[in-house]
Amino acid sequence: ESTMAALRRKFGEDYQVVNTNRATTFSAPVKKKRQRFVDKNGRCNVQHGNLGGETSRYLSDLFTTLVDLKWRWNLLIFILTYTIAWLVMASMWWIIAYIRGDLNHGHDSSYTPCVANVYNFPSAFLFFIETEATIGYGYRYITEKCPEGIILFLFQSLLGSIVDAFLIGCMFIKMSQPKKRAETLMFSQDAVISQRDGKLCLMFRVGNLRNSHMVSAQIRCKLIKSRQTPEGEFLPLDQCELDVGFGTGADQLFLVSPLTICHEINPKSPFFDLSQRSLMNEQFEIVVILEGIVETTGMTCQARTSYTEDEVLWGHRFLPVMSLEEGFFRVDYSQFHSTFEVPTPPYSVKEYEEKNSLPSPLSTPTPALTESHGARRDRVFSVDCINTSEERGRQGGTGGRLPSKLQRMSSSGKEDLQRKVLLLSSQHSEKACSTGDLPLKLQRLSSSQGPEAENRLQLKSLKVGFEPMTQSTGDLYQHSLQPTLSPAPVPMHSPLLSAGGRPEDNLPPKLRKMNADR
């Protein structure tokens, strides 16, 4: 038995001796209840040991030490202090009477003692009690022929006032402590996790049993959980703050009726990856601290409680306790701790956000829609359209090449080409194209496809001639490469028709010369 006791002290209470006899059946060890950091009543399960020389610090703050003691120790100290003080002072009065010889002349009427009618220790003790309690029966009194008695009387009065102030003040503070006020502040037995306003929240309930209010009531929550840092440091009982509305002011309570305190589980919450399954394997403790000023006494009161992982109910909600009566609201505290199940997702907020953040296939716009959208945009003439026209001309094959004269002009320098194109575009007869490149292409196509294609291209050139001057070369080039060219109605006031010739005759002289050279 002593060996087993030593093993249990070394390895813990869960240590058991395994019997190798196969015929013996064993029952599974009962899971030991985990030690709480803070009890449900708010008492902290922490003891300080091996203080060494630091014990003297308690004596330096003796008043607080006496107030923190339990009531039985306070009463014992109170009684012993007064009893010892009375005995010591009574002994000092007896010693003065003994030294002066008053004890031998107690009943001699012709003798004047230091204290009248003190002739033994009980009479000296009664004299001290009558003086200290200011009873003053008048039978025992100090005479004027005892200077040492007068000095002792002054010392007795000062010492008695100090002892009274210290002990009575200590008892008054002890009795008026607001700890008992916390007994009328209630917390729900369990905390719940469910959805509120579409968000997963950790909730618990608080209530005030008294009609007197808690002024400036504020609530805080701490998560107590051991963890290990990435550097390998183990932090036992690490404390982490739980947000219960500090930024929005929801932590400031108007506690006249039971309130449900809510902690939203978001990416900043330590419960971000907590799910219904992982809750069964977690080990943590939530410490709730409610502080406020007692309205009747003006003293600060603090109430505490805690919730372990087995006291957190997933998928539950508190029953309502408020009801409207005739002329007032009624609170039913019989349903204060009651909960009921509600549909709640079993996965964590982290899993939910990862599921929603998966990329979904997006429809890309088709080339036809893109081209149609681009065709509706306003076209603004600029010199930069020359570059686009040249690139499209190189990619378009034989039908999209520039004339050799323009190619030589382009090779001589971009600036020179742009300056010449601007000069050509200033003339009114260049409405068909900003550079004059399109009519040459139309002529080449007409020469290669026959008389029928030439007639179609001439009609197309008439249509192009009346498009706005803001049309760029690239847009006109796309019109010229369409497979089917539908004839467009020609206005009667067209300058090309009024000229009575071919479209080539309306070109500037410089372009006609370039065409003749080609």
Side-chain angles (χ1 to χ4, degrees), residues 229-438:
T229 63
E231 295 79 12
E233 180 185 3
F234 180 72
L235 302 177
L237 301 177
D238 185 44
Q239 298 185 13
C240 177
E241 187 77 18
L242 292 181
D243 186 13
V244 288
F246 178 76
T248 60
D251 59 334
Q252 304 291 331
L253 307 181
F254 182 53
L255 197 59
V256 296
S257 63
L259 298 177
T260 301
I261 309 302
C262 177
H263 164 69
E264 179 185 342
I265 301 178
N266 50 29
K268 296 181 180 180
S269 172
F271 298 128
F272 181 56
D273 55 352
L274 182 67
S275 63
Q276 186 176 8
R277 177 176 297 180
S278 63
L279 180 62
M280 303 177 183
N281 302 323
E282 288 285 345
Q283 284 193 358
F284 60 84
E285 186 172 349
I286 303 171
V287 179
V288 181
I289 305 171
L290 175 62
E291 293 179 338
I293 301 174
V294 181
E295 187 180 28
T296 54
T297 62
M299 302 182 69
T300 303
C301 173
Q302 185 182 93
R304 296 181 296 267
T305 190
S306 68
Y307 301 98
T308 56
E309 67 280 352
D310 55 345
E311 295 173 345
V312 178
L313 306 179
W314 188 282
H316 283 245
R317 189 178 297 164
F318 289 106
L319 282 173
V321 295
M322 292 286 294
S323 61
L324 179 59
E325 300 292 337
E326 197 172 324
F328 61 93
F329 292 93
R330 183 180 181 85
V331 180
D332 183 11
Y333 278 98
S334 63
Q335 304 293 334
F336 184 82
H337 304 286
S338 302
T339 62
F340 63 97
E341 294 187 3
V342 292
T344 304
Y347 42 83
S348 63
V349 179
K350 181 179 180 181
E351 296 172 351
Y352 178 77
E353 291 188 356
E354 290 177 352
K355 181 180 178 181
N356 291 342
S357 63
L358 293 177
S360 59
L362 299 176
S363 58
T364 57
T366 59
L369 294 176
T370 306
E371 183 179 356
S372 175
H373 177 69
R376 289 194 298 266
R377 293 181 301 179
D378 295 336
R379 302 182 179 93
V380 180
F381 173 77
S382 64
V383 181
D384 295 337
C385 67
I386 298 297
N387 300 332
T388 307
S389 176
E390 291 179 358
E391 292 176 0
R392 292 179 180 176
R394 296 189 191 97
Q395 298 175 1
T398 307
R401 294 194 183 96
L402 294 172
S404 58
K405 188 72 175 177
L406 290 180
Q407 292 179 5
R408 288 194 300 269
M409 292 169 60
S410 176
S411 62
S412 63
K414 182 178 179 180
E415 296 181 357
D416 189 22
L417 176 61
Q418 293 177 354
R419 186 167 54 254
K420 292 182 178 181
V421 170
L422 289 175
L423 180 62
L424 294 175
S425 63
S426 63
Q427 302 182 12
H428 176 71
S429 59
E430 281 190 62
K431 293 182 180 180
C433 181
S434 61
T435 60
D437 180 41
L438 185 58

Side-chain angles (χ1 to χ4, degrees), residues 90-111:
S91 301
M92 295 180 69
W93 285 110
W94 180 84
I95 291 173
I96 291 176
Y98 177 77
I99 293 175
R100 289 175 57 89
D102 296 342
L103 301 179
N104 300 326
H105 304 84
H107 299 283
D108 189 357
S109 58
S110 62
Y111 180 76

Side-chain angles (χ1 to χ4, degrees), residues 5 18 25 69 91 99 104 140 172 198 200 224 252 298 310 343 357 377 390 399 457 482 491 494 499 514:
V18 179
T25 59
L69 292 177
S91 301
I99 293 175
N104 300 326
R140 297 179 179 89
F172 175 78
L200 198 65
I224 309 297
Q252 304 291 331
D310 55 345
S357 63
R377 293 181 301 179
E390 291 179 358
L457 292 176
Q482 291 180 356
S494 172
M514 291 166 54

Side-chain angles (χ1 to χ4, degrees), residues 145-189:
K145 294 184 178 181
C146 183
E148 60 271 18
I150 297 174
I151 295 174
L152 182 59
F153 177 76
L154 295 176
F155 176 76
Q156 171 188 328
S157 300
L158 294 175
L159 182 62
S161 300
I162 294 174
V163 172
D164 290 342
F166 191 83
L167 292 181
I168 295 177
C170 178
M171 297 298 292
F172 175 78
I173 295 297
K174 184 73 175 177
M175 288 185 295
S176 62
Q177 269 191 326
K179 289 184 178 179
K180 294 303 178 181
R181 177 64 176 90
E183 299 293 333
T184 54
L185 297 175
M186 292 182 61
F187 297 91
S188 58
Q189 292 292 336

